[in-house]
Amino acid sequence: MKNKKKIFAVLISLIIIPLAIQAQDITDEYEEFLRQRNQEMIDFQNNRDKEFAAFLKESWELYSAVAGLKREVPGPTVPPRYKEPVTPPPSKQPDKKPVAPPPSKQPDKKPVAPPPGKQPDKEPVTPPPGKQPDKQPVTPPPSKQPDKEPVKPPVPVQRPKGNVDNIDFFGGTYPVSLTERKIHLTDISEQGISDAWTAMAKMDYAPLIKDCLKIKSDLGLNDWGYILLAKAVGERLSKRMDKDEISFVQMFILLQSGYKVKMARMNNHLGMLIACKHVLYNLPYSDINGDRYYIFSNVENESIGSYYTYKKDFTTASHLLDMNVSSQVNLSYAPVAKDIPLTAGKYQVKSVVNKNLMDFYNTFPQCDFDIYYNAKPSSQFNDIILPQFKEMVDGKSRQEAVTILLSFIQHSFPYATDYEQFRYEKTFFVDECFYWPSSDCEDRAILFTYLVKEILDMDAVLLLYPRHLAAAVYFDQDIQGDYVNYKNKKYTICDPTYIGAPIGTCMPEYRNTVPEKIYSY
């Protein structure tokens, strides 16, 4: 028996030992494969950065800037007030009782297209091209703290390992891997830019890029937020806190993160060209290699007619700037509540917003309405403000609920045009309606359509008229009044700026006007 056990043990060892050796060989081969791939990636990055540095050294070309596109929707100076039609009393007839005529059916009111080429009677007042507002936007007065905290606090950002420094970003402090060396830009000539690129490429910048992308993800930043984050890092890495050095580091981070940006020299300082998939208004631009690049200067109120840049793209830079806010932006929380709740009849809303988010939104370049229309509101809005609107319409029919929301927005929000409040055109994200002292037609229409969609799960669209933005809602029942046909559906007009107007009532001046554009979710 003992001999059999010994023989069995020997047989097992003869099987296991070769398998173990084979497994070790496989592990060693895999680790060698990873080392080779890692080295290949390092070699690729080094060659890519070296090639780009050599290209930056060549003479840059002169380009002309095209003046920024204008989009002005000022809305009425004073919002019109709806007047109920007055029915005259029946006149007294002598000796005989009047015979009432049979009731006649009232036809639906329906928009009629205007004659071709008809323009508004009056052009909107706009600030001179490129000029910034003469005065700072109105800031709400100091306010009380909200009664309750939002349910969703900002997500904490994990501290990276190694050489770490903190950057300040809209009220929060975030750790990133930073080199001990500061970036020094000797000058903004082709040679100076090339030398600075070579110096920064020799640093171990991969952990920094990884940390920046992680912060972007943790905070729910869109691409515009990432551009501002890269600038905040530039402020930490600049040796002299010089605007050109900050712009250089910002563009280095964006390029290494895959964004399609270019450095540019304009009016004896550095600027940045950003290729964007959306239209940005009031910003000069140039079309290069089939992409539209918008021009951002690091000098405020600067007029840019021409600039120098290069044609070649960075090898791995292919991502176009996306302005959509597709995630909740989760910045450090600084609550601001209105001193006086918004009221309309028996309904009341206590508004709470995040001041840091308001500051972030205030940096946005002017975009098309669909960017604001489709943006995700904050957790503060969803957790504190939205439930109050849901309570307003609880148990109501859809028509009653839409009427309540429409009437609330018509009567509760003070009205002012953007030019009166800011001295320039500014469209609000939903949260901003509860922060700034006043709102205009597009702000009200965007808020109204969001509430209808989110609370009632109904289709709602924005209607762009000359100088005005209204809204319309699809009902699954026939509603009398003004409407538009869109995608084979009848959308009943609801105008949050036409004070007191019921659903199905268009402003008289637009009743015979076909919308220039319809925005839908």
Side-chain angles (χ1 to χ4, degrees), residues 196-210:
W197 179 274
T198 300
M200 192 160 184
K202 288 180 179 179
M203 302 175 184
D204 184 14
Y205 60 79
L208 170 62
I209 304 301
K210 182 180 179 182

Side-chain angles (χ1 to χ4, degrees), residues 99-172:
V99 179
S104 58
K105 184 179 179 181
Q106 296 297 321
D108 288 351
K109 293 183 278 183
K110 186 175 182 181
V112 181
K118 184 175 180 181
Q119 298 296 326
D121 297 332
K122 183 177 176 184
E123 290 296 319
V125 179
T126 58
K131 185 176 180 182
Q132 294 298 314
D134 301 329
K135 62 181 182 180
Q136 294 296 319
V138 181
T139 302
S143 54
K144 64 182 181 181
Q145 297 300 309
D147 295 333
K148 68 173 185 175
E149 294 294 320
V151 175
K152 301 174 184 176
V155 178
V157 178
Q158 292 184 351
R159 191 171 184 84
K161 298 178 181 179
N163 187 30
V164 173
D165 202 349
N166 292 321
I167 59 168
D168 298 323
F169 188 71
F170 289 101

Side-chain angles (χ1 to χ4, degrees), residues 484-504:
V484 295
N485 283 313
Y486 179 65
K487 294 185 177 180
N488 299 319
K489 290 183 178 180
K490 176 182 173 181
Y491 286 79
T492 302
I493 292 177
C494 303
D495 197 333
T497 306
Y498 194 8
I499 309 302
I503 60 177

Side-chain angles (χ1 to χ4, degrees), residues 59 134 176 212 271 315 359 420 450:
S59 295
D134 301 329
V176 293
C212 289
T315 305
D359 292 342
E420 290 172 330
Y450 179 81

